Amino acid sequence: MLEVVPLKAFKDNYVWTLRNATHAAVVDPGEAGPVLDYLGREKLRLAAILATHHHADHVGGIPALLAQHRVPVYGPKHEPIATLTRPVSEGDRVEIAELGVSFSVLDIPGHTRAHIAYYGAGALFCGDTLFACGCGRLFEGTAEQMVASLKKLTALPDDTKVYCGHEYTLANIGFAKNVEPGNAALAARELRDRKLRDAGKPTLPSRLADEKATNPFLRCGEPAVIESVNKYLGSRVSDPVRVFAAMRDWKNNS
Ligand SMILES: [Zn+2]
């Protein structure tokens, strides 16, 4: 069983840290400090660094980690990350022998041009593409790409644990309630996640099945979602990409 520990970075980033008794690998170390502290405290050796996309709050800590640990750095082949030593894209596998785990790489463009995800051991590390009850902004990609990327992720097994890059869940749920006020699963999720935050705990990982039931960006074909989006737009659209694009715009402006 893979143990995954959230290390907090900046205001609301998580550096997901995969570990066993002796080694660790980190996903998206935007800052080195929390990782170096943890490795020192737990007496762990770093085995690998994995990056999902090129934004500084996901890769900024890599040089300082490499200064102390000479380890392979995996990341998207088609993004400008100077510290990568193992560029990967869809179809590649990432083997971390020290942890006895391997991941397949998925191309999920949209938030950035060549964003990737790592999937293995029932866990999905999806950076800033799929968030708990939300999704990333379209900085470099199109709505069409993001819809295709999200569709690829939702094809994974329902019990997949979703480890995303930020603790945005409660704010995302707030927006989701505007889109789908009658969604009972969403109301239940809000109660549960609010309790977690009140106790100072992460709301992550989430379960893919819960995302499918509550995340409005994965529900662009639901009549209630289409209805709300049309009300926002003041015109009638039903094509999932146009519904998605309008909802993304709505959230950006709310
Ligand atoms: Zn990002």
Side-chain angles (χ1 to χ4, degrees):
M1 184 71 191
L2 185 66
E3 188 181 351
V4 186
V5 178
L7 301 181
K8 285 167 81 170
F10 306 111
K11 190 169 138 270
D12 50 32
N13 284 71
Y14 289 121
V15 180
W16 294 110
T17 302
L18 291 51
R19 63 161 292 179
N20 58 18
T22 53
H23 287 83
V26 288
V27 182
D28 286 351
E31 278 189 300
V35 176
L36 293 171
D37 288 350
Y38 183 77
L39 296 176
R41 200 164 62 236
E42 297 286 318
K43 300 187 170 46
L44 298 173
R45 291 182 62 181
L46 192 62
I49 298 170
L50 283 64
T52 61
H53 67 294
H54 70 87
H55 286 159
D57 64 322
H58 294 252
V59 299
I62 295 176
L65 292 177
L66 289 178
Q68 297 193 30
H69 302 268
R70 291 176 62 91
V71 298
V73 182
Y74 298 89
K77 190 180 269 179
H78 302 292
E79 290 200 357
I81 304 172
T83 47
L84 285 196
T85 59
R86 308 278 178 91
V88 290
S89 62
E90 179 103 13
D92 288 331
R93 288 196 76 80
V94 172
E95 297 263 355
I96 308 173
E98 294 88 339
L99 296 173
V101 68
S102 82
F103 296 98
S104 52
V105 177
L106 304 171
D107 285 341
I108 49 167
H111 176 68
T112 57
R113 196 167 62 85
H115 195 303
I116 58 172
Y118 301 91
Y119 172 68
L124 173 71
F125 297 92
C126 52
D128 289 355
T129 298
L130 174 62
F131 285 127
C133 219
C135 76
R137 287 174 188 254
L138 303 175
F139 285 123
E140 298 170 8
T142 64
E144 198 159 19
Q145 284 177 318
M146 191 57 135
V147 167
S149 294
L150 293 173
K151 201 170 171 188
K152 192 185 283 186
L153 298 182
T154 54
L156 295 171
D158 269 354
D159 61 355
T160 300
K161 289 178 176 165
V162 179
Y163 294 88
C164 44
H166 293 266
E167 179 63 63
Y168 289 159
T169 314
L170 291 185
N172 286 345
I173 289 174
F175 174 75
K177 281 163 59 185
N178 294 333
V179 180
E180 255 192 311
N183 183 333
L186 181 60
R189 181 177 195 174
E190 184 179 29
L191 282 178
R192 190 189 64 207
D193 285 346
R194 201 169 282 289
K195 244 181 232 166
L196 286 169
R197 294 309 288 153
D198 287 346
K201 292 180 182 161
T203 59
L204 304 169
S206 69
R207 269 177 74 244
L208 196 55
D210 291 336
E211 295 308 327
K212 289 192 208 173
T214 60
N215 189 327
F217 292 97
L218 303 181
R219 298 170 60 77
C220 292
E222 292 293 320
V225 171
I226 295 171
E227 187 62 38
S228 288
V229 167
N230 284 342
K231 214 176 273 173
Y232 165 76
L233 268 183
S235 64
R236 291 212 69 81
V237 297
S238 59
D239 169 67
V241 172
R242 294 182 67 190
V243 171
F244 174 89
M247 198 192 309
R248 191 56 265 181
D249 182 64
W250 181 6
K251 182 152 197 284
N252 293 350
N253 294 320
S254 66

mmCIF file of all heavy atoms in Angstrom, residues 128-166:
data_model
loop_
_atom_site.group_PDB
_atom_site.id
_atom_site.type_symbol
_atom_site.label_atom_id
_atom_site.label_comp_id
_atom_site.label_asym_id
_atom_site.label_seq_id
_atom_site.Cartn_x
_atom_site.Cartn_y
_atom_site.Cartn_z
ATOM 1 N N ASP A 128 -2.920 20.702 -11.681
ATOM 2 C CA ASP A 128 -3.951 21.753 -11.718
ATOM 3 C C ASP A 128 -4.969 21.512 -12.839
ATOM 4 O O ASP A 128 -5.491 22.466 -13.420
ATOM 5 C CB ASP A 128 -3.290 23.129 -11.926
ATOM 6 C CG ASP A 128 -2.539 23.596 -10.696
ATOM 7 O OD1 ASP A 128 -2.602 22.900 -9.658
ATOM 8 O OD2 ASP A 128 -1.889 24.647 -10.776
ATOM 9 N N THR A 129 -5.233 20.250 -13.159
ATOM 10 C CA THR A 129 -6.227 19.956 -14.200
ATOM 11 C C THR A 129 -7.571 19.662 -13.562
ATOM 12 O O THR A 129 -8.512 20.445 -13.705
ATOM 13 C CB THR A 129 -5.754 18.795 -15.091
ATOM 14 O OG1 THR A 129 -4.542 19.201 -15.728
ATOM 15 C CG2 THR A 129 -6.793 18.444 -16.145
ATOM 16 N N LEU A 130 -7.667 18.547 -12.842
ATOM 17 C CA LEU A 130 -8.888 18.230 -12.092
ATOM 18 C C LEU A 130 -8.670 18.620 -10.643
ATOM 19 O O LEU A 130 -7.717 18.159 -10.011
ATOM 20 C CB LEU A 130 -9.182 16.728 -12.200
ATOM 21 C CG LEU A 130 -10.343 16.185 -11.358
ATOM 22 C CD1 LEU A 130 -11.668 16.826 -11.752
ATOM 23 C CD2 LEU A 130 -10.417 14.663 -11.485
ATOM 24 N N PHE A 131 -9.523 19.502 -10.115
ATOM 25 C CA PHE A 131 -9.492 19.818 -8.688
ATOM 26 C C PHE A 131 -10.685 19.150 -8.020
ATOM 27 O O PHE A 131 -11.643 18.754 -8.690
ATOM 28 C CB PHE A 131 -9.594 21.329 -8.459
ATOM 29 C CG PHE A 131 -8.323 22.074 -8.772
ATOM 30 C CD1 PHE A 131 -8.346 23.157 -9.637
ATOM 31 C CD2 PHE A 131 -7.119 21.703 -8.210
ATOM 32 C CE1 PHE A 131 -7.183 23.848 -9.932
ATOM 33 C CE2 PHE A 131 -5.948 22.389 -8.491
ATOM 34 C CZ PHE A 131 -5.985 23.466 -9.355
ATOM 35 N N ALA A 132 -10.645 19.061 -6.692
ATOM 36 C CA ALA A 132 -11.797 18.567 -5.964
ATOM 37 C C ALA A 132 -12.943 19.555 -6.175
ATOM 38 O O ALA A 132 -12.854 20.717 -5.802
ATOM 39 C CB ALA A 132 -11.462 18.433 -4.477
ATOM 40 N N CYS A 133 -13.980 19.069 -6.839
ATOM 41 C CA CYS A 133 -15.171 19.862 -7.148
ATOM 42 C C CYS A 133 -14.896 21.056 -8.082
ATOM 43 O O CYS A 133 -15.678 22.010 -8.123
ATOM 44 C CB CYS A 133 -15.864 20.328 -5.867
ATOM 45 S SG CYS A 133 -17.660 20.240 -6.030
ATOM 46 N N GLY A 134 -13.818 20.993 -8.843
ATOM 47 C CA GLY A 134 -13.527 22.075 -9.789
ATOM 48 C C GLY A 134 -12.504 21.628 -10.817
ATOM 49 O O GLY A 134 -12.188 20.436 -10.922
ATOM 50 N N CYS A 135 -11.974 22.577 -11.557
ATOM 51 C CA CYS A 135 -10.903 22.262 -12.511
ATOM 52 C C CYS A 135 -10.025 23.490 -12.682
ATOM 53 O O CYS A 135 -10.389 24.594 -12.264
ATOM 54 C CB CYS A 135 -11.459 21.805 -13.856
ATOM 55 S SG CYS A 135 -12.098 23.143 -14.878
ATOM 56 N N GLY A 136 -8.865 23.292 -13.296
ATOM 57 C CA GLY A 136 -7.915 24.384 -13.470
ATOM 58 C C GLY A 136 -8.390 25.399 -14.502
ATOM 59 O O GLY A 136 -9.240 25.114 -15.343
ATOM 60 N N ARG A 137 -7.830 26.598 -14.401
ATOM 61 C CA ARG A 137 -8.117 27.622 -15.416
ATOM 62 C C ARG A 137 -7.418 27.266 -16.715
ATOM 63 O O ARG A 137 -6.433 26.541 -16.732
ATOM 64 C CB ARG A 137 -7.584 28.982 -14.940
ATOM 65 C CG ARG A 137 -8.404 29.596 -13.826
ATOM 66 C CD ARG A 137 -7.707 30.852 -13.322
ATOM 67 N NE ARG A 137 -8.348 31.355 -12.143
ATOM 68 C CZ ARG A 137 -9.140 32.454 -12.122
ATOM 69 N NH1 ARG A 137 -9.332 33.161 -13.221
ATOM 70 N NH2 ARG A 137 -9.709 32.836 -11.010
ATOM 71 N N LEU A 138 -7.950 27.808 -17.795
ATOM 72 C CA LEU A 138 -7.362 27.553 -19.119
ATOM 73 C C LEU A 138 -6.317 28.630 -19.405
ATOM 74 O O LEU A 138 -6.635 29.663 -19.976
ATOM 75 C CB LEU A 138 -8.453 27.583 -20.190
ATOM 76 C CG LEU A 138 -9.600 26.605 -19.989
ATOM 77 C CD1 LEU A 138 -10.679 26.810 -21.042
ATOM 78 C CD2 LEU A 138 -9.080 25.165 -20.039
ATOM 79 N N PHE A 139 -5.072 28.398 -19.006
ATOM 80 C CA PHE A 139 -4.037 29.400 -19.247
ATOM 81 C C PHE A 139 -3.430 29.265 -20.638
ATOM 82 O O PHE A 139 -3.110 30.245 -21.284
ATOM 83 C CB PHE A 139 -2.931 29.300 -18.195
ATOM 84 C CG PHE A 139 -3.335 29.850 -16.863
ATOM 85 C CD1 PHE A 139 -3.278 29.060 -15.727
ATOM 86 C CD2 PHE A 139 -3.769 31.162 -16.740
ATOM 87 C CE1 PHE A 139 -3.642 29.565 -14.491
ATOM 88 C CE2 PHE A 139 -4.143 31.685 -15.508
ATOM 89 C CZ PHE A 139 -4.073 30.873 -14.386
ATOM 90 N N GLU A 140 -3.234 28.023 -21.085
ATOM 91 C CA GLU A 140 -2.552 27.826 -22.376
ATOM 92 C C GLU A 140 -3.334 26.952 -23.341
ATOM 93 O O GLU A 140 -3.014 26.905 -24.515
ATOM 94 C CB GLU A 140 -1.170 27.184 -22.138
ATOM 95 C CG GLU A 140 -0.247 28.053 -21.312
ATOM 96 C CD GLU A 140 1.028 27.305 -20.886
ATOM 97 O OE1 GLU A 140 1.263 26.178 -21.357
ATOM 98 O OE2 GLU A 140 1.779 27.855 -20.067
ATOM 99 N N GLY A 141 -4.341 26.253 -22.837
ATOM 100 C CA GLY A 141 -5.073 25.333 -23.699
ATOM 101 C C GLY A 141 -6.478 25.839 -23.979
ATOM 102 O O GLY A 141 -6.869 26.919 -23.531
ATOM 103 N N THR A 142 -7.235 25.027 -24.715
ATOM 104 C CA THR A 142 -8.597 25.393 -25.091
ATOM 105 C C THR A 142 -9.605 24.609 -24.248
ATOM 106 O O THR A 142 -9.263 23.599 -23.622
ATOM 107 C CB THR A 142 -8.855 25.046 -26.570
ATOM 108 O OG1 THR A 142 -8.759 23.616 -26.710
ATOM 109 C CG2 THR A 142 -7.835 25.706 -27.489
ATOM 110 N N ALA A 143 -10.846 25.088 -24.285
ATOM 111 C CA ALA A 143 -11.918 24.372 -23.585
ATOM 112 C C ALA A 143 -12.054 22.954 -24.138
ATOM 113 O O ALA A 143 -12.268 21.997 -23.392
ATOM 114 C CB ALA A 143 -13.233 25.134 -23.738
ATOM 115 N N GLU A 144 -11.906 22.832 -25.440
ATOM 116 C CA GLU A 144 -12.026 21.513 -26.067
ATOM 117 C C GLU A 144 -10.965 20.543 -25.522
ATOM 118 O O GLU A 144 -11.269 19.393 -25.213
ATOM 119 C CB GLU A 144 -11.853 21.678 -27.576
ATOM 120 C CG GLU A 144 -12.364 20.515 -28.366
ATOM 121 C CD GLU A 144 -12.635 20.927 -29.815
ATOM 122 O OE1 GLU A 144 -12.091 21.963 -30.264
ATOM 123 O OE2 GLU A 144 -13.385 20.199 -30.477
ATOM 124 N N GLN A 145 -9.728 21.040 -25.389
ATOM 125 C CA GLN A 145 -8.661 20.199 -24.835
ATOM 126 C C GLN A 145 -8.966 19.816 -23.392
ATOM 127 O O GLN A 145 -8.791 18.669 -22.990
ATOM 128 C CB GLN A 145 -7.329 20.956 -24.860
ATOM 129 C CG GLN A 145 -6.693 21.048 -26.227
ATOM 130 C CD GLN A 145 -5.412 21.870 -26.171
ATOM 131 O OE1 GLN A 145 -5.359 22.902 -25.500
ATOM 132 N NE2 GLN A 145 -4.394 21.417 -26.864
ATOM 133 N N MET A 146 -9.431 20.780 -22.612
ATOM 134 C CA MET A 146 -9.694 20.508 -21.190
ATOM 135 C C MET A 146 -10.821 19.501 -21.035
ATOM 136 O O MET A 146 -10.735 18.587 -20.195
ATOM 137 C CB MET A 146 -10.025 21.819 -20.465
ATOM 138 C CG MET A 146 -10.058 21.700 -18.966
ATOM 139 S SD MET A 146 -8.500 21.088 -18.258
ATOM 140 C CE MET A 146 -8.277 22.199 -16.885
ATOM 141 N N VAL A 147 -11.863 19.636 -21.833
ATOM 142 C CA VAL A 147 -12.972 18.671 -21.762
ATOM 143 C C VAL A 147 -12.472 17.266 -22.095
ATOM 144 O O VAL A 147 -12.807 16.290 -21.412
ATOM 145 C CB VAL A 147 -14.126 19.102 -22.699
ATOM 146 C CG1 VAL A 147 -15.141 17.982 -22.880
ATOM 147 C CG2 VAL A 147 -14.806 20.356 -22.144
ATOM 148 N N ALA A 148 -11.617 17.161 -23.112
ATOM 149 C CA ALA A 148 -11.066 15.851 -23.492
ATOM 150 C C ALA A 148 -10.167 15.307 -22.382
ATOM 151 O O ALA A 148 -10.185 14.108 -22.075
ATOM 152 C CB ALA A 148 -10.294 15.960 -24.803
ATOM 153 N N SER A 149 -9.390 16.196 -21.755
ATOM 154 C CA SER A 149 -8.501 15.755 -20.668
ATOM 155 C C SER A 149 -9.302 15.265 -19.468
ATOM 156 O O SER A 149 -8.990 14.226 -18.876
ATOM 157 C CB SER A 149 -7.592 16.915 -20.239
ATOM 158 O OG SER A 149 -6.709 17.253 -21.284
ATOM 159 N N LEU A 150 -10.350 16.005 -19.114
ATOM 160 C CA LEU A 150 -11.175 15.603 -17.973
ATOM 161 C C LEU A 150 -11.887 14.283 -18.270
ATOM 162 O O LEU A 150 -12.037 13.429 -17.399
ATOM 163 C CB LEU A 150 -12.180 16.707 -17.623
ATOM 164 C CG LEU A 150 -11.555 18.002 -17.075
ATOM 165 C CD1 LEU A 150 -12.615 19.087 -16.915
ATOM 166 C CD2 LEU A 150 -10.836 17.761 -15.747
ATOM 167 N N LYS A 151 -12.297 14.111 -19.515
ATOM 168 C CA LYS A 151 -12.963 12.872 -19.916
ATOM 169 C C LYS A 151 -12.006 11.687 -19.772
ATOM 170 O O LYS A 151 -12.387 10.611 -19.321
ATOM 171 C CB LYS A 151 -13.430 13.012 -21.372
ATOM 172 C CG LYS A 151 -14.515 12.063 -21.759
ATOM 173 C CD LYS A 151 -15.080 12.432 -23.113
ATOM 174 C CE LYS A 151 -16.030 11.336 -23.586
ATOM 175 N NZ LYS A 151 -16.461 11.546 -24.967
ATOM 176 N N LYS A 152 -10.755 11.907 -20.139
ATOM 177 C CA LYS A 152 -9.742 10.857 -20.006
ATOM 178 C C LYS A 152 -9.588 10.459 -18.537
ATOM 179 O O LYS A 152 -9.488 9.281 -18.203
ATOM 180 C CB LYS A 152 -8.412 11.381 -20.561
ATOM 181 C CG LYS A 152 -7.361 10.328 -20.740
ATOM 182 C CD LYS A 152 -6.041 10.940 -21.175
ATOM 183 C CE LYS A 152 -6.017 11.318 -22.646
ATOM 184 N NZ LYS A 152 -4.660 11.788 -23.059
ATOM 185 N N LEU A 153 -9.596 11.452 -17.657
ATOM 186 C CA LEU A 153 -9.430 11.160 -16.223
ATOM 187 C C LEU A 153 -10.656 10.451 -15.660
ATOM 188 O O LEU A 153 -10.536 9.539 -14.844
ATOM 189 C CB LEU A 153 -9.152 12.453 -15.441
ATOM 190 C CG LEU A 153 -7.866 13.196 -15.829
ATOM 191 C CD1 LEU A 153 -7.672 14.422 -14.950
ATOM 192 C CD2 LEU A 153 -6.640 12.276 -15.733
ATOM 193 N N THR A 154 -11.844 10.840 -16.103
ATOM 194 C CA THR A 154 -13.045 10.211 -15.547
ATOM 195 C C THR A 154 -13.237 8.785 -16.064
ATOM 196 O O THR A 154 -14.079 8.055 -15.545
ATOM 197 C CB THR A 154 -14.323 11.028 -15.832
ATOM 198 O OG1 THR A 154 -14.421 11.273 -17.223
ATOM 199 C CG2 THR A 154 -14.311 12.333 -15.072
ATOM 200 N N ALA A 155 -12.446 8.393 -17.057
ATOM 201 C CA ALA A 155 -12.509 7.004 -17.529
ATOM 202 C C ALA A 155 -11.737 6.068 -16.600
ATOM 203 O O ALA A 155 -11.834 4.843 -16.726
ATOM 204 C CB ALA A 155 -11.956 6.908 -18.948
ATOM 205 N N LEU A 156 -10.993 6.609 -15.653
ATOM 206 C CA LEU A 156 -10.260 5.779 -14.688
ATOM 207 C C LEU A 156 -11.268 5.170 -13.704
ATOM 208 O O LEU A 156 -12.406 5.629 -13.611
ATOM 209 C CB LEU A 156 -9.232 6.647 -13.943
ATOM 210 C CG LEU A 156 -8.107 7.219 -14.834
ATOM 211 C CD1 LEU A 156 -7.277 8.235 -14.050
ATOM 212 C CD2 LEU A 156 -7.224 6.111 -15.382
ATOM 213 N N PRO A 157 -10.858 4.128 -12.962
ATOM 214 C CA PRO A 157 -11.801 3.475 -12.041
ATOM 215 C C PRO A 157 -12.396 4.442 -11.008
ATOM 216 O O PRO A 157 -11.729 5.369 -10.563
ATOM 217 C CB PRO A 157 -10.930 2.421 -11.344
ATOM 218 C CG PRO A 157 -9.804 2.167 -12.298
ATOM 219 C CD PRO A 157 -9.557 3.462 -13.000
ATOM 220 N N ASP A 158 -13.656 4.190 -10.634
ATOM 221 C CA ASP A 158 -14.382 5.063 -9.706
ATOM 222 C C ASP A 158 -13.689 5.250 -8.360
ATOM 223 O O ASP A 158 -13.843 6.275 -7.715
ATOM 224 C CB ASP A 158 -15.780 4.483 -9.435
ATOM 225 C CG ASP A 158 -16.808 5.018 -10.427
ATOM 226 O OD1 ASP A 158 -16.461 5.915 -11.231
ATOM 227 O OD2 ASP A 158 -17.956 4.523 -10.394
ATOM 228 N N ASP A 159 -12.949 4.216 -7.930
ATOM 229 C CA ASP A 159 -12.330 4.338 -6.599
ATOM 230 C C ASP A 159 -10.936 4.971 -6.653
ATOM 231 O O ASP A 159 -10.209 4.981 -5.655
ATOM 232 C CB ASP A 159 -12.291 2.979 -5.890
ATOM 233 C CG ASP A 159 -11.469 1.953 -6.654
ATOM 234 O OD1 ASP A 159 -11.007 2.269 -7.785
ATOM 235 O OD2 ASP A 159 -11.270 0.839 -6.131
ATOM 236 N N THR A 160 -10.566 5.529 -7.809
ATOM 237 C CA THR A 160 -9.275 6.217 -7.933
ATOM 238 C C THR A 160 -9.214 7.382 -6.947
ATOM 239 O O THR A 160 -10.157 8.165 -6.823
ATOM 240 C CB THR A 160 -9.101 6.757 -9.369
ATOM 241 O OG1 THR A 160 -9.143 5.654 -10.280
ATOM 242 C CG2 THR A 160 -7.787 7.509 -9.529
ATOM 243 N N LYS A 161 -8.096 7.480 -6.242
ATOM 244 C CA LYS A 161 -7.894 8.609 -5.330
ATOM 245 C C LYS A 161 -7.289 9.766 -6.113
ATOM 246 O O LYS A 161 -6.272 9.596 -6.796
ATOM 247 C CB LYS A 161 -6.957 8.213 -4.186
ATOM 248 C CG LYS A 161 -7.597 7.248 -3.218
ATOM 249 C CD LYS A 161 -6.604 6.854 -2.142
ATOM 250 C CE LYS A 161 -7.270 5.958 -1.110
ATOM 251 N NZ LYS A 161 -6.283 5.295 -0.269
ATOM 252 N N VAL A 162 -7.922 10.923 -5.990
ATOM 253 C CA VAL A 162 -7.517 12.086 -6.775
ATOM 254 C C VAL A 162 -6.681 13.026 -5.897
ATOM 255 O O VAL A 162 -7.190 13.614 -4.940
ATOM 256 C CB VAL A 162 -8.753 12.835 -7.319
ATOM 257 C CG1 VAL A 162 -8.321 14.061 -8.116
ATOM 258 C CG2 VAL A 162 -9.612 11.900 -8.175
ATOM 259 N N TYR A 163 -5.401 13.124 -6.238
ATOM 260 C CA TYR A 163 -4.488 14.020 -5.517
ATOM 261 C C TYR A 163 -4.208 15.226 -6.411
ATOM 262 O O TYR A 163 -3.425 15.136 -7.354
ATOM 263 C CB TYR A 163 -3.169 13.305 -5.211
ATOM 264 C CG TYR A 163 -3.283 12.150 -4.244
ATOM 265 C CD1 TYR A 163 -3.565 10.857 -4.705
ATOM 266 C CD2 TYR A 163 -3.098 12.350 -2.882
ATOM 267 C CE1 TYR A 163 -3.654 9.783 -3.821
ATOM 268 C CE2 TYR A 163 -3.188 11.285 -1.989
ATOM 269 C CZ TYR A 163 -3.463 10.014 -2.465
ATOM 270 O OH TYR A 163 -3.553 8.963 -1.586
ATOM 271 N N CYS A 164 -4.874 16.336 -6.138
ATOM 272 C CA CYS A 164 -4.650 17.515 -6.972
ATOM 273 C C CYS A 164 -3.722 18.502 -6.257
ATOM 274 O O CYS A 164 -3.336 18.292 -5.110
ATOM 275 C CB CYS A 164 -5.969 18.137 -7.380
ATOM 276 S SG CYS A 164 -7.176 18.269 -6.082
ATOM 277 N N GLY A 165 -3.390 19.558 -6.957
ATOM 278 C CA GLY A 165 -2.305 20.425 -6.510
ATOM 279 C C GLY A 165 -2.645 21.459 -5.452
ATOM 280 O O GLY A 165 -1.742 22.019 -4.826
ATOM 281 N N HIS A 166 -3.928 21.730 -5.243
ATOM 282 C CA HIS A 166 -4.300 22.808 -4.322
ATOM 283 C C HIS A 166 -5.488 22.428 -3.444
ATOM 284 O O HIS A 166 -6.339 21.644 -3.849
ATOM 285 C CB HIS A 166 -4.718 24.070 -5.105
ATOM 286 C CG HIS A 166 -3.605 24.723 -5.856
ATOM 287 N ND1 HIS A 166 -2.861 25.756 -5.343
ATOM 288 C CD2 HIS A 166 -3.120 24.495 -7.097
ATOM 289 C CE1 HIS A 166 -1.962 26.145 -6.241
ATOM 290 N NE2 HIS A 166 -2.095 25.403 -7.312
#
